[in-house]
Amino acid sequence: KLEKEAQERKQAMLVKARPLPSSTYTPSQAPVPPSAMGRQKLKPCPVTLHSEKRQLARKEFDESLQRLSSEKETMLKLQEEEFKKEMDMEMKMLRRLPVEEGGLMQIAKPIGAVFSERRQDMSLSRVSRDASSFGEGMNDLIANFGAVQLG
């Protein structure tokens, strides 16, 4: 019984290939070209690839983009030049105007006029200061006066 099972296992392990078909043993017919059978030869169609169309479209796009960027660049240069001209004109105007009118030109004044302006400015500032702190100043005077008499 064990021997029989061992033989069955050996037979199961063996590869059982199918035999070749009988057509492989006999020589087949040589292939016949289509023209001999009465068919017409096929004519190839012209090939138009999408990549060629895409290449042309991309080239046009790149040219238009380059044209736009160059126009933008020239506009920026013109604006920059115009801005520089405006700034130069403004600086010339400011250099011609005296300081009192918001310009940069210093106009010399006689010394007497300078001192009289200072006196006027000081008196105006003193009056405005005194008017704003009248109550506080009076309190200080009264406190100082009382301290002097008591002391």
Side-chain angles (χ1 to χ4, degrees), residues 79-128:
Q79 287 177 351
E80 190 175 308
E81 289 175 7
E82 187 176 315
F83 179 73
K84 283 182 181 180
K85 285 180 183 178
E86 288 178 9
M87 292 301 291
D88 289 342
M89 291 297 291
E90 188 176 341
M91 284 303 295
K92 285 180 183 178
M93 290 292 292
L94 287 174
R95 287 181 182 138
R96 290 181 184 160
L97 290 175
V99 174
E100 291 83 18
E101 296 177 18
L104 300 172
M105 186 175 196
Q106 291 286 340
I107 299 176
K109 296 180 183 177
I111 297 224
V114 171
F115 287 125
S116 65
E117 283 181 14
R118 283 187 186 169
R119 274 188 229 118
Q120 287 176 356
D121 290 345
M122 289 176 71
S123 65
L124 290 175
S125 66
R126 190 177 300 142
V127 168
S128 64

Side-chain angles (χ1 to χ4, degrees), residues 1-115:
K1 196 174 185 181
L2 290 176
E3 291 176 13
K4 189 177 180 184
E5 287 179 8
Q7 279 183 349
E8 286 177 5
R9 273 191 240 140
K10 282 184 182 179
Q11 284 181 354
M13 291 174 75
L14 292 176
V15 177
K16 298 177 183 174
R18 293 183 181 176
L20 290 173
S22 60
S23 63
T24 55
Y25 297 117
T26 58
S28 64
Q29 296 176 348
V32 181
S35 59
M37 293 174 34
R39 293 184 187 170
Q40 295 179 355
K41 290 186 177 180
L42 299 176
K43 295 179 183 176
C45 296
V47 177
T48 54
L49 299 175
H50 181 68
S51 59
E52 293 171 356
K53 293 177 187 176
R54 178 76 180 107
Q55 180 185 11
L56 293 174
R58 182 64 190 195
K59 186 177 180 181
E60 290 175 7
F61 173 76
D62 286 341
E63 289 173 356
S64 66
L65 190 65
Q66 187 177 12
R67 189 171 49 250
L68 286 175
S69 66
S70 66
E71 288 175 5
K72 187 175 182 180
E73 207 172 282
T74 55
M75 288 297 292
L76 286 174
K77 285 182 182 179
L78 289 175
Q79 287 177 351
E80 190 175 308
E81 289 175 7
E82 187 176 315
F83 179 73
K84 283 182 181 180
K85 285 180 183 178
E86 288 178 9
M87 292 301 291
D88 289 342
M89 291 297 291
E90 188 176 341
M91 284 303 295
K92 285 180 183 178
M93 290 292 292
L94 287 174
R95 287 181 182 138
R96 290 181 184 160
L97 290 175
V99 174
E100 291 83 18
E101 296 177 18
L104 300 172
M105 186 175 196
Q106 291 286 340
I107 299 176
K109 296 180 183 177
I111 297 224
V114 171
F115 287 125

